Amino acid sequence: QQPVQSPQAVILREGEDAVINCSSSKALYSVHWYRQKHGEAPVFLMILLKGGEQKGHEKISASFNEKKQQSSLYLTASQLSYSGTYFCGTEKWNSGYSTLTFGKGTMLLVSP
Amino acid sequence: DARVTQTPRHKVTEMGQEVTMRCQPILGHNTVFWYRQTMMQGLELLAYFRNRAPLDDSGMPKDRFSAEMPDATLATLKIQPSEPRDSAVYFCASGNGDTQYFGPGTRLTVL
């Protein structure tokens, strides 16, 4: 039930674009994206909700395709500060509550 | 700037010893999560509390791990006895809606 992320790693030069994908074998209610820098805690980037609503805090965009059960994170004109590991988390519903199941992450390295 | 705090930040112990990790969630948050992060498995949910009540601990090895929230400002994760395979970074996160805010983690090494 763990979502599958691709690619596993990306190396970019500053200013280039990248797309990170997250796929699930189960129906998605929402997808959460986090970024973790080396040795630090994961930090929330954005959440995509069923129905198209998107909530985020940074200048990074994402899409959510419910039919294909996948989400994509778009990093355009990448900056050095974008380096880190990106995780997607998909909601798993239980009896009256939900938890997140995270993918194994996509490592992004942006070089000057 | 409110943050989740965790102590200790690093812990090295010998196999068989008890380990206690502590977490102070952000004031006002009603959910607390414990995660374990390893290279092989990534981020795994160990326990989930809402309004201090444990809702989900299905990811936690029951024979040696326990998680509690004695009050709204403190969550604990205990391992007794610890084993080398428990070596990992343990994160606490708190939230009050869709977003989870992670603490800095406790890096545990069991020799």
Side-chain angles (χ1 to χ4, degrees), chain B residues 34-87:
Chain B
W34 282 104
Y35 291 94
R36 174 171 62 187
Q37 186 175 42
T38 61
M39 288 294 292
M40 291 299 294
Q41 300 299 329
L43 272 167
E44 301 173 279
L45 178 67
L46 296 176
Y48 167 41
F49 291 80
R50 185 166 68 196
N51 296 324
R52 292 178 55 203
L55 286 189
D56 192 329
D57 62 359
S58 58
M60 202 161 65
K62 301 292 190 303
D63 56 337
R64 298 185 298 108
F65 284 60
S66 63
E68 296 179 345
M69 273 202 78
D71 61 62
T73 64
L74 176 65
T76 62
L77 181 66
K78 289 186 182 180
I79 308 174
Q80 168 64 18
S82 58
E83 296 181 2
R85 59 180 167 152
D86 300 330
S87 297

Side-chain angles (χ1 to χ4, degrees), chain A residues 32 34 36 41 55 97 104, chain B residues 37 40 55-56 98 100 103:
Chain A
H32 303 229
Y34 285 77
Q36 183 179 28
K55 296 191 249 183
Y97 67 92
K104 291 198 172 178
Chain B
Q37 186 175 42
M40 291 299 294
L55 286 189
D56 192 329
D98 296 322
Q100 295 182 27

Side-chain angles (χ1 to χ4, degrees), chain A residues 56-77:
Chain A
H57 300 287
E58 294 197 15
K59 296 178 184 177
I60 294 173
S61 63
S63 65
F64 181 18
N65 189 320
E66 297 165 38
K67 284 186 179 178
K68 291 186 178 179
Q69 295 172 184
Q70 70 180 36
S71 175
S72 296
L73 190 70
Y74 304 97
L75 302 123
T76 56

Side-chain angles (χ1 to χ4, degrees), chain A residues 5-6 18-22 32-35 45-46 48 60-63 71-76 86-88 108:
Chain A
Q5 290 186 233
S6 63
V19 180
I20 299 172
N21 300 303
C22 174
H32 303 229
W33 286 96
Y34 285 77
R35 177 173 63 206
L45 290 177
M46 65 172 55
L48 297 110
I60 294 173
S61 63
S63 65
S71 175
S72 296
L73 190 70
Y74 304 97
L75 302 123
T76 56
Y86 290 77
F87 294 95
C88 69
L108 177 72

